[in-house]
Amino acid sequence: QVQLVESGGGLVQFGGSLRLSCAASGMTFSITTMGWYLQAPGKQRELVAVVARGGQTTYTDSVKGRFTISRDNARNTVYLEMNSLKPEDTAVYYCNTQTWTLDDGPRGFWGQGTQVTVSS
């Protein structure tokens, strides 16, 4: 099992910045990728960005050039630096980790979510 605790959401004005953090605990040795997803009201959860254990990153097109994902493997923490925020970025942001063990194979874990609201 992996437990995830997110922080850093809030209310920000158009063009502002926020930094989300997600700290993992538990079977952190088994973590492969860490990432962020968002879910806007009435919509499905969708990928924002992921970072592999070796540092390779993937972003959805709408955040490229504005958001930066990073991870600190020593602290088992993933960050999402969000700049030039737009009202359409408003959503609940969820941290996600993927793990792999010989016994369980691949598994995914979610944080509780943190609200990001961008006012126009």
Side-chain angles (χ1 to χ4, degrees):
Q1 292 281 347
V2 173
Q3 296 78 41
L4 302 172
V5 177
E6 300 145 343
S7 60
L11 174 65
V12 65
Q13 289 188 331
F14 176 85
S17 299
L18 282 175
R19 189 193 196 207
L20 305 183
S21 300
C22 173
S25 61
M27 295 177 63
T28 57
F29 65 89
S30 65
I31 291 175
T32 55
T33 63
M34 303 183 80
W36 292 93
Y37 289 70
L38 65 81
Q39 188 166 19
K43 296 188 177 181
Q44 290 188 329
R45 197 171 297 186
E46 59 186 61
L47 172 72
V48 178
V50 293
V51 55
R53 191 167 188 86
Q56 299 91 340
T57 58
T58 301
Y59 296 91
T60 192
D61 286 345
S62 62
V63 307
K64 287 180 180 177
R66 299 189 299 124
F67 291 10
T68 303
I69 190 171
S70 61
R71 65 189 282 177
D72 183 334
N73 290 330
R75 290 183 169 82
N76 299 307
T77 301
V78 62
Y79 306 96
L80 186 68
E81 187 76 35
M82 305 187 292
N83 298 313
S84 302
L85 282 161
K86 306 174 182 179
E88 50 263 45
D89 296 320
T90 295
V92 178
Y93 284 70
Y94 293 91
C95 178
N96 172 270
T97 65
Q98 299 294 310
T99 65
W100 190 92
T101 63
L102 194 58
D103 290 341
D104 296 332
R107 295 185 66 185
F109 298 89
W110 294 95
Q112 79 281 3
T114 185
Q115 177 70 45
V116 171
T117 302
V118 185
S119 63
S120 57

